[in-house]
Amino acid sequence: AFVAVGSIISTLPATESKSQNPAPKPTFSDGACLDTGVTEVIDFGEQHSPVVYCATNFAGTGWDLLEESGLTVEGTAEYPSAFVCRIEGWPRESVQDCVNMPTPQSGYWKYFVASASTGGGWIASGIGAAGHRPECGSAEGWLWVTESTPANAKPAVDPEVFECK
């Protein structure tokens, strides 16, 4: 009986688990995405020129997008993987120690999203990057703001959004 059961089991098709076939790693290229992927814009304000790149084969959160891009990203001590304190060394430690939540007086990173379904322009995200899952054709934006930044300021680079095929 054991041999018969063993024969039946061995003829069943093998099922593949997700752990055996993980999702492809995202690839990153300079500039906005044109027909597939998620565009990321990092606007340092007057500090230096914005960084714009395209992530294809991306699946994850806005926080994952920053981390997987190869940029240096730091959270706060209180929220190490949920509240962005520093991107690519900005602000310097002398400006923001990243122990506590940044304030308008010391400056902070404001998070924006854009997609075809929201009209294509930047809107301040209602949820943090760790809770937002960008979709193909959308854009993510980060803007360094201080207390002198106008309330309606948005990243200087207009988002490139589209419907993925």
Side-chain angles (χ1 to χ4, degrees):
F2 291 117
V3 174
V5 170
S7 297
I8 292 170
I9 292 174
S10 66
T11 62
L12 293 175
T15 57
E16 296 177 4
S17 74
K18 290 183 181 194
S19 63
Q20 291 174 340
N21 292 320
K25 291 254 187 223
T27 56
F28 295 87
S29 57
D30 289 338
C33 300
L34 302 175
D35 58 6
T36 188
V38 177
T39 298
E40 180 91 85
V41 174
I42 315 290
D43 186 341
F44 294 85
E46 297 176 3
Q47 308 314 314
H48 64 72
S49 300
V51 172
V52 181
Y53 59 86
C54 175
T56 55
N57 294 323
F58 176 75
T61 66
W63 184 273
D64 297 333
L65 183 61
L66 273 175
E67 283 191 324
E68 292 178 29
S69 72
L71 296 174
T72 304
V73 180
E74 285 181 60
T76 62
E78 188 175 10
Y79 302 104
S81 61
F83 194 94
V84 174
C85 179
R86 194 179 333 277
I87 301 173
E88 286 296 281
W90 187 258
R92 292 184 299 273
E93 250 183 86
S94 61
V95 174
Q96 180 59 253
D97 62 11
C98 294
V99 172
N100 298 309
M101 299 280 285
T103 64
Q105 293 78 22
S106 64
Y108 64 95
W109 287 101
K110 190 170 181 179
Y111 180 51
F112 292 84
V113 295
S115 68
S117 65
T118 62
W122 291 123
I123 58 170
S125 180
I127 60 173
H132 182 259
R133 296 183 96 57
E135 296 179 0
C136 184
S138 67
E140 302 269 294
W142 293 92
L143 174 63
W144 176 253
V145 299
T146 63
E147 60 188 342
S148 63
T149 304
N152 62 347
K154 296 179 179 171
V157 176
D158 289 334
E160 298 281 340
V161 299
F162 49 87
E163 295 287 334
C164 284
K165 298 174 183 174

